């Protein structure tokens, strides 16, 4: 067996570092959001919804941090990510606990309290943290030049936009996504950066899907209210 020299270890480390490009890390973040924001619903079919959902904050916040490190994020981006991560983890935990209680045969005041912390507060807190993580990555973008291929751009817009639509519809905070679309699209028009524009496109796509949903149903019902999940 040939001994591994220090130079070989350094070469491997350099190759590994080059593989973790901002473009790949951003796609990884979006993929983590798309997978782990939907996987618990599928896991619910075999009764392990809550157990699977425990992984969500680790996967999403971890992927966001990887993206920020790949950009060598400046302090303002890291501060935004710090606040976003706290809100994301806190809101997700509130949602998970209240939702788990609400799924049990409780009634009266207990059901009202569980509904408030899950549907009225938890989702909003969680999703504001999610949007701030996206904003933090956009704030980090100027630190390194980003070159997004058409395929990666389309992947980000579709996966993130569809997830924004499905999560805010079922979460009952679709209005938050519409507000996010306005803010990100306005920001993109002013700054005109590739990644920021792509994220703005995802928010716009999500808003368009919400509009189509509202026209179709004459309102904005949750999937669960229609018996879809």
């Amino acid at each position: 067996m040939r001994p591994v020299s220090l130079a070989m270890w350094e070469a491997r480390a350099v190759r590994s570092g080059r593989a973790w490009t901002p473009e790949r890390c951003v796609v990884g973040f979006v993929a983590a959001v798309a997978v782990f924001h939907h996987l618990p619903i599928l896991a619910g079919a075999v009764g392990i919804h809550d157990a699977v959902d425990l992984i969500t904050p680790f996967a999403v916040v971890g992927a966001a941090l990887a993206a920020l490190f790949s950009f060598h994020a400046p302090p303002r981006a890291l501060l935004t990510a710090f606040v976003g991560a706290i809100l994301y983890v806190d809101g997700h935990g509130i949602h998970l606990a209240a939702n788990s209680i609400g799924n049990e045969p409780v009634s009266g005041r207990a059901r009202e309290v569980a509904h408030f912390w899950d549907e009225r507060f938890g989702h909003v807190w969680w999703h504001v943290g999610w949007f701030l993580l996206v904003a933090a990555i956009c704030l980090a973008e100027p630190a390194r030049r980003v070159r997004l291929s058409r395929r990666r751009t389309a992947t980000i817009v579709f996966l993130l936009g569809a997830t924004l639509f499905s999560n805010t519809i079922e979460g009952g905070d679709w209005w938050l996504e519409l507000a996010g679309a306005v803010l990100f699209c306005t920001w993109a028009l002013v700054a005109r950066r590739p990644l920021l524009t792509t994220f703005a496109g995802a928010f716009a796509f999500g808003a368009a899907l919400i509009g189509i949903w509202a026209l179709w149903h004459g309102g904005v019902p949750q999937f669960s209210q229609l018996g879809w999940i």
Side-chain angles (χ1 to χ4, degrees):
M1 183 176 179
R2 187 176 63 177
V4 179
S5 67
L6 179 60
M8 292 176 64
W9 277 110
E10 290 178 347
R12 289 179 182 179
V14 170
R15 287 195 299 269
S16 177
R18 287 175 179 173
W20 287 82
T21 62
E23 294 84 0
R24 290 183 178 180
C25 288
V26 168
V27 172
F29 166 70
V30 171
V33 169
V35 170
F36 287 95
H37 279 211
H38 293 112
L39 187 60
I41 297 175
L42 300 176
V46 292
I48 56 172
H49 172 280
D50 293 342
V52 170
D53 211 8
L54 286 172
I55 307 171
T56 301
F58 294 95
V60 172
V61 174
L65 290 178
L68 290 167
F69 288 148
S70 72
F71 276 107
H72 307 302
R76 64 173 184 171
L78 293 177
L79 178 60
T80 302
F82 178 73
V83 176
I86 290 175
L87 295 182
Y88 186 97
V89 173
D90 190 37
H92 180 270
I94 291 170
H95 148 73
L96 177 58
N99 187 64
S100 183
I101 294 169
N103 287 334
E104 297 300 320
V106 295
S107 60
R109 179 62 177 164
R111 177 160 293 279
E112 292 176 3
V113 171
H115 179 78
F116 169 79
W117 287 109
D118 179 20
E119 300 289 339
R120 302 299 180 190
F121 185 87
H123 286 155
V124 173
W125 209 240
W126 172 22
H127 291 164
V128 168
W130 174 18
F131 295 0
L132 283 175
L133 289 176
V134 175
I137 295 173
C138 292
L139 287 171
E141 182 180 3
R144 290 185 66 179
R145 186 176 181 181
V146 177
R147 295 179 179 178
L148 290 173
S149 65
R150 290 183 179 180
R151 184 175 64 180
R152 282 179 175 161
T153 299
T155 298
I156 292 171
V157 170
F158 176 77
L159 287 181
L160 184 58
T163 306
L164 287 164
F165 162 69
S166 64
N167 281 209
T168 59
I169 287 292
E170 182 57 26
D173 57 350
W174 52 269
W175 49 270
L176 190 62
E177 201 284 339
L178 299 183
V182 172
L183 291 174
F184 273 89
C185 288
T186 302
W187 187 9
L189 287 173
V190 173
R192 297 184 179 277
R193 297 196 300 267
L195 183 56
L196 173 58
T197 301
T198 300
F199 277 137
F203 273 88
F205 179 49
L209 292 176
I210 291 172
I212 294 170
W213 181 261
L215 290 173
W216 180 15
H217 294 283
V220 194
Q222 297 178 7
F223 302 115
S224 56
Q225 291 173 338
L226 298 176
W228 287 23
I229 58 175

